[in-house]
Amino acid sequence: MYKDFYQSQNYVNRELSWIDFNGRVLEEAQQKDNPLLERANFLGITQSNVDEFFMVRVASLHKLVAANVTTTDASGMTPEEQLKAVNEKEHRMVAKRYRVYNNELLPALAKEGIFFRHFTELDNQQQEFLRRYFNEELLPVLTPMADDSSRPFPFISNNSLNIAIKLKRAPKDSQVQAPQTVLEGDQEVTGRPQEPHDDRNEAEEKFATVRVPDIYRRLVKLPHENTFVLLDEVVKQFLDLLFPGYVIQSTGTYRVSRDMDLDVAEADTSDLLRAVQHQLREREHGSVMRLEVQGDIDPWLENHLVKNLKVNTIALYRVDGPVDLTFLKKLSGMVHGRDDLRYRPFKPYLDPQFDMDSDLFAAMREKDHLVQHPYDNFQSVVNFIHKAAVDKNVLAIKMTLYRVSGNSPIIKYLGQAAQAGKQVTVLVEVKARFDEKNNVRWARRLEQMGCHVIYGLVGLKTHCKLALVIRRDHDGIRRYVHLGTGNYNDVTANFYTDMGLFTCDYEIGVDMTNLFNMLSGFARPRYFHKLHVSPHGIRQFIDDKIDEQIEVAKSGNPALIRMKMNSLSDKQIIARLYDAAAAGVKVQLLVRGITCLRNDLPVLNGNIEVHSIVGRFLEHSRIYYFESNGHSDIYLSSADMMTRNLNRRVEELFPVEGARTKQKAINIFDKMWNDNVNTWVLHGSEYELLDSAGQARFNSQQYFVDEAEKHQADEHREQENKRHLSTVFETLTRHVPRLHLKRVKNNQHD
């Protein structure tokens, strides 16, 4: 081990690397090869990504600065230095996002007949439609909030969209009681405004704010066309109806992002559910991490917001366009009749052995099955749990849940199994970030249905993806297992790439039993046969495998390490990879997001290559692959190479051993490594889009889509052939007896 590998200049700051990753997502919004509405969606994704980044990562830096922490990260930066660098870099990214929005997306959308309009650009009929929409839908739910000597500055909730308003009392002669007409339902109602309350400071400028209701879509679609107006623009147009007796001088849309990181004290978990619920209420009032305002906001309004929200000027973001671009994620679903502007839909392949009409358990007894979502249908996993719930020979189901959908079929089938008298144990991680409320609800629901629910371990998040089914077969008790790299979420499984293994392997089954006993009781397994479990177990295993490759390289033989993960930030793992490369081991890394490793250190001899794939699907699977002396070992895992995953979470890493499944996993890595359409290549500390000029284009994600459709077509053709043969057979069996009888009669006549 080279001690120099631990020097700070050998590492990239984690937070700055994350911003670079979000920049790679932004590039997808600029790629003209991507369908236009998908480009808009990518731009919306960059906004939601950075929103969460400020609510969690930037919030964490703020806490460290507030606690006067001056220790440095792997790259040698203090929390205060990181906070400054993050905001400076993100200011540049914000400017780029809005350049893409204004200069590229809006003109391209307009060319396709999709328009974003201001109220003044609409004709009379369109304006009348919005006037009625405001009066009938919006006016009843809007609440103006004043800030003056008798009413303190109102609370502004996290990520809510708001309109700041500067106003003055109207001159007295203009306050003649002129009748005012408003719309109530379909009826116009005329009335005389009430005298405004006495205000001795009539000449002073007043501040008020109105929250744009989030129960309505941000995009208001005009009838019979793909023309949209932003909801906040509609509200602004009719704000004077909320402030009779006052003149509105200026308005400005704004939004705050707060510290939303959950901080549950875990001295014990005796009342963890209640502690989480309490923290969910408390975090809504976290400190402001970022204030976004429209670029042309009145300086008086901006100063008022900065002062009352207690925002550092570096955290003030003026944007050249609509505040909060996440509405672009909804645009595709609101544009009608333009499938040419979206990705072509495809149907994931479902192995017929895993449909509900087949003997799924027999298929698992015969051999292991490796699936890759979304190309392989996630319904195979849902059917596994469903079959277990209704099969009379199943005795027990044990499962871990980290993030599930809002209407999860897996939850339903677990409850169904419990109500059928099966032993059902579910570990629901109620500390899963931003899924806490959903998971608390599901935990309560599972308990009501008769499941035994575990809420997690003290000080650890349970992030492993495991399902264990205990079944009484004709030859005894057998364990049926599913292990995965991604969540048991039937929604995200449609656009996250993940891998899963169905197996009946005896030793893995024993390991799973021991692991669940550890999670639910006081068991401390002395060892696992084939599983490797965090905390600590996965780190030690990866270290040992790297050591093996180093020894092979030192003996003069070729050695290869290949890894795919979401993020690579653990300093020790990076140092071990440096050590391997320096010893002559070839290292190939597929890292979607954070990459704290540099691959330009001279001592590495160019032995570390790093690719990052950003495309239609979010690359989420984790693969760890070691090859030397003509032998290859490949493993899948729920864990990234991040300190939190290796030290502070319960994670699983498992082998893929069957010859067929092993080769499939290796082929998946190979195809992704050869991608030259979605791939970025790391040069030192910066990623650059791979230059594929002169090469045949190869998009790995599209390749897997095409393969899934081919399997689907082959399966359909095979089923059609079977139906045809069945029809022919039935026809023959109907006619052959008659032909035989006729022949007998003819013979008798002869």
Side-chain angles (χ1 to χ4, degrees):
M1 169 71 70
Y2 288 88
K3 291 183 179 179
D4 285 350
F5 288 153
Y6 279 100
Q7 292 183 5
S8 59
Q9 64 266 28
N10 297 334
Y11 298 86
V12 176
N13 175 259
R14 167 186 167 146
E15 319 306 344
L16 298 179
S17 178
W18 184 90
I19 295 176
D20 288 338
F21 155 67
N22 207 35
R24 298 197 290 279
V25 180
L26 178 58
E27 289 290 336
E28 291 297 308
Q30 299 179 265
Q31 291 295 325
K32 291 183 171 56
D33 288 345
N34 288 331
L36 183 56
L37 290 174
E38 306 297 348
R39 291 170 59 191
N41 182 52
F42 275 115
L43 185 54
I45 289 171
T46 65
Q47 179 73 66
S48 56
N49 282 350
V50 82
D51 290 348
E52 182 172 333
F53 177 70
F54 269 85
M55 291 185 287
V56 178
R57 298 304 307 172
V58 174
S60 177
L61 290 175
H62 269 279
K63 290 172 183 173
L64 293 174
V65 171
N68 296 316
V69 174
T70 57
T71 53
T72 59
D73 74 325
S75 70
M77 298 177 71
T78 65
E80 189 169 9
E81 290 170 337
Q82 293 180 67
L83 198 56
K84 183 171 183 270
V86 160
N87 276 290
E88 287 175 350
K89 192 163 193 171
E90 179 55 22
H91 274 287
R92 296 193 293 272
M93 289 298 298
V94 166
K96 184 174 181 180
R97 274 201 292 280
Y98 281 89
R99 282 198 300 273
V100 173
Y101 176 78
N102 291 311
N103 301 341
E104 298 184 39
L105 281 182
L106 288 186
L109 288 166
K111 191 175 178 180
E112 297 293 344
I114 302 167
F115 302 99
F116 290 88
R117 298 296 195 200
H118 294 289
F119 188 85
T120 54
E121 299 174 315
L122 305 177
D123 60 33
N124 291 337
Q125 186 176 358
Q126 292 170 325
Q127 289 185 355
E128 176 61 17
F129 169 80
L130 291 179
R131 185 179 75 86
R132 295 176 68 87
Y133 179 72
F134 177 86
N135 281 287
E136 294 173 9
E137 291 284 338
L138 302 178
L139 184 59
V141 301
L142 294 174
T143 304
M145 304 289 289
D147 175 26
D148 59 18
S149 56
S150 62
R151 289 162 294 197
F153 189 86
F155 175 75
I156 308 300
S157 60
N158 177 66
N159 277 353
S160 62
L161 201 63
N162 302 272
I163 300 171
I165 305 146
K166 177 183 177 183
L167 30 70
K168 269 189 176 182
R169 177 73 68 83
K172 294 215 173 187
D173 5 348
S174 70
Q175 294 184 36
V176 179
Q177 302 299 303
Q180 213 174 48
T181 302
V182 297
L183 209 63
E184 293 184 2
D186 290 328
Q187 303 295 319
E188 287 190 342
V189 179
T190 302
R192 192 168 295 279
Q194 296 296 312
E195 273 287 343
H197 69 274
D198 182 41
D199 191 336
R200 287 171 290 180
N201 300 315
E202 291 180 10
E204 286 186 7
E205 294 163 328
K206 306 292 182 185
F207 176 90
T209 185
V210 171
R211 176 171 174 172
V212 179
D214 53 13
I215 57 173
Y216 298 104
R217 288 179 172 178
R218 177 85 182 276
L219 290 172
V220 181
K221 190 174 188 291
L222 297 178
H224 315 304
E225 52 188 316
N226 285 322
T227 299
F228 301 90
V229 181
L230 290 172
L231 186 64
D232 37 312
E233 293 300 319
V234 177
V235 173
K236 284 180 186 177
Q237 189 62 37
F238 300 101
L239 270 177
D240 56 326
L241 294 177
L242 295 175
F243 300 97
Y246 285 83
V247 175
I248 294 175
Q249 297 183 308
S250 63
T251 63
T253 306
Y254 70 98
R255 185 175 75 136
V256 300
S257 298
R258 295 183 177 274
D259 176 358
M260 297 293 284
D261 199 16
L262 201 66
D263 186 19
V264 180
E266 292 188 87
D268 64 75
T269 56
S270 58
D271 208 356
L272 180 59
L273 214 57
R274 183 176 295 178
V276 169
Q277 290 172 313
H278 174 73
Q279 280 293 313
L280 285 172
R281 291 189 294 270
E282 289 295 311
R283 79 173 179 186
E284 295 297 326
H285 294 265
S287 302
V288 174
M289 299 294 106
R290 176 186 60 174
L291 169 62
E292 298 167 282
V293 298
Q294 67 181 63
D296 59 352
I297 192 170
D298 185 308
W300 185 88
L301 287 174
E302 182 183 281
N303 291 336
H304 197 88
L305 291 170
V306 169
K307 176 184 174 184
N308 284 278
L309 292 168
K310 299 179 175 61
V311 179
N312 191 302
T313 52
I314 199 172
L316 171 65
Y317 287 79
R318 302 181 185 92
V319 302
D320 184 20
V323 173
D324 183 10
L325 294 174
T326 56
F327 67 85
L328 291 169
K329 295 165 65 176
K330 305 292 185 183
L331 179 62
S332 180
M334 298 182 69
V335 172
H336 298 301
R338 295 306 307 269
D339 289 344
D340 58 312
L341 302 181
R342 303 178 180 90
Y343 287 126
R344 180 174 61 84
F346 83 101
K347 187 175 181 180
Y349 172 66
L350 179 63
D351 187 330
Q353 296 180 94
F354 280 80
D355 66 29
M356 283 301 291
D357 295 326
S358 301
D359 190 342
L360 183 151
F361 297 116
M364 290 179 65
R365 285 195 299 273
E366 182 184 351
K367 61 186 177 182
D368 291 353
H369 296 261
L370 182 69
V371 291
Q372 184 190 21
H373 312 300
Y375 318 108
D376 291 314
N377 202 321
F378 187 74
Q379 193 63 37
S380 59
V381 180
V382 175
N383 288 349
F384 175 55
I385 304 302
H386 190 181
K387 280 274 191 180
V390 299
D391 189 294
K392 60 180 175 38
N393 294 318
V394 168
L395 307 175
I397 305 172
K398 300 184 181 185
M399 198 167 186
T400 60
L401 298 178
Y402 191 75
R403 299 186 196 276
V404 294
S405 66
N407 189 28
S408 172
I410 286 177
I411 297 284
K412 181 177 79 171
Y413 297 136
L414 290 172
Q416 187 177 334
Q419 290 169 345
K422 304 181 194 303
Q423 180 87 13
V424 179
T425 304
V426 188
L427 190 148
V428 180
E429 183 47 79
V430 293
K431 302 186 293 295
R433 184 173 292 135
F434 299 124
D435 274 277
E436 300 96 346
K437 188 178 294 186
N438 192 45
N439 285 3
V440 166
R441 178 171 64 89
W442 281 130
R444 294 290 196 203
R445 177 70 178 142
L446 285 166
E447 285 182 327
Q448 290 168 1
M449 292 189 292
C451 301
H452 177 61
V453 179
I454 310 165
Y455 300 122
L457 302 177
V458 176
L460 299 172
K461 281 187 180 180
T462 303
H463 190 249
C464 50
K465 326 296 183 182
L466 307 170
L468 171 63
V469 172
I470 316 298
R471 187 175 189 266
R472 186 185 300 281
D473 290 343
H474 66 279
D475 55 351
I477 300 294
R478 184 176 274 106
R479 300 174 179 89
Y480 295 84
V481 173
H482 175 268
L483 308 101
T485 68
N487 298 308
Y488 289 110
N489 188 312
D490 57 294
V491 174
T492 58
N494 292 308
F495 53 90
Y496 280 34
T497 74
D498 271 304
M499 298 170 71
L501 181 70
F502 293 96
T503 183
C504 276
D505 183 274
Y506 176 78
E507 289 183 314
I508 287 180
V510 171
D511 285 347
M512 289 277 281
T513 298
N514 289 335
L515 177 54
F516 274 105
N517 288 344
M518 182 186 80
L519 293 173
S520 63
F522 294 109
R524 289 288 181 269
R526 287 179 296 171
Y527 64 91
F528 291 99
H529 298 279
K530 291 185 177 179
L531 289 188
H532 301 276
V533 179
S534 283
H536 311 307
I538 294 177
R539 178 188 295 282
Q540 185 61 55
F541 174 74
I542 295 294
D543 278 349
D544 291 344
K545 296 300 288 186
I546 292 174
D547 283 340
E548 289 176 12
Q549 300 303 89
I550 289 174
E551 289 306 311
V552 171
K554 284 181 177 179
S555 69
N557 293 309
L560 175 66
I561 295 172
R562 308 176 93 185
M563 296 181 174
K564 178 181 184 289
M565 65 202 86
N566 291 278
S567 295
L568 172 61
S569 62
D570 183 80
K571 185 175 182 178
Q572 293 177 43
I573 294 294
I574 292 172
R576 301 295 291 119
L577 292 173
Y578 286 157
D579 202 30
V585 179
K586 295 291 184 183
V587 179
Q588 296 177 339
L589 305 175
L590 283 164
V591 187
R592 175 177 58 89
I594 297 165
T595 314
C596 296
L597 170 147
R598 301 181 63 103
N599 64 349
D600 59 350
L601 309 184
V603 72
L604 304 180
N605 300 311
N607 283 331
I608 299 182
E609 297 177 86
V610 187
H611 292 183
S612 178
I613 293 178
V614 181
R616 174 178 181 175
F617 304 113
L618 186 149
E619 290 292 342
H620 194 255
S621 54
R622 290 93 167 188
I623 304 173
Y624 301 100
Y625 171 24
F626 307 90
E627 183 178 302
S628 58
N629 294 329
H631 182 74
S632 59
D633 294 319
I634 191 160
Y635 303 84
L636 305 180
S637 181
S638 62
D640 293 314
M641 292 295 103
M642 304 178 75
T643 305
R644 70 182 189 189
N645 298 86
L646 300 174
N647 291 2
R648 300 191 298 275
R649 289 188 174 186
V650 180
E651 307 268 12
E652 97 277 8
L653 180 145
F654 55 94
V656 180
E657 295 181 315
R660 187 182 57 87
T661 52
K662 187 175 182 178
Q663 191 56 52
K664 181 177 179 178
I666 293 171
N667 287 342
I668 287 171
F669 194 103
D670 285 341
K671 296 300 181 187
M672 288 187 289
W673 187 256
N674 292 325
D675 190 309
N676 61 11
V677 173
N678 301 312
T679 294
W680 294 73
V681 179
L682 184 69
H683 297 288
S685 60
E686 303 289 335
Y687 278 100
E688 294 179 10
L689 193 59
L690 179 65
D691 182 4
S692 59
Q695 303 176 37
R697 288 168 61 83
F698 180 72
N699 181 333
S700 61
Q701 295 187 346
Q702 188 58 49
Y703 169 83
F704 293 128
V705 167
D706 293 342
E707 285 291 294
E709 292 182 326
K710 181 177 178 295
H711 290 320
Q712 201 76 34
D714 290 346
E715 187 62 40
H716 178 74
R717 197 158 39 245
E718 186 176 338
Q719 293 299 323
E720 286 296 312
N721 289 340
K722 286 180 179 178
R723 277 193 288 270
H724 176 69
L725 289 173
S726 177
T727 302
V728 170
F729 180 76
E730 287 176 10
T731 302
L732 287 172
T733 55
R734 281 200 306 270
H735 292 290
V736 165
R738 288 191 223 166
L739 289 171
H740 178 69
L741 182 61
K742 185 176 181 181
R743 182 180 172 189
V744 169
K745 287 181 178 179
N746 287 339
N747 288 338
Q748 288 175 344
H749 179 73
D750 291 341

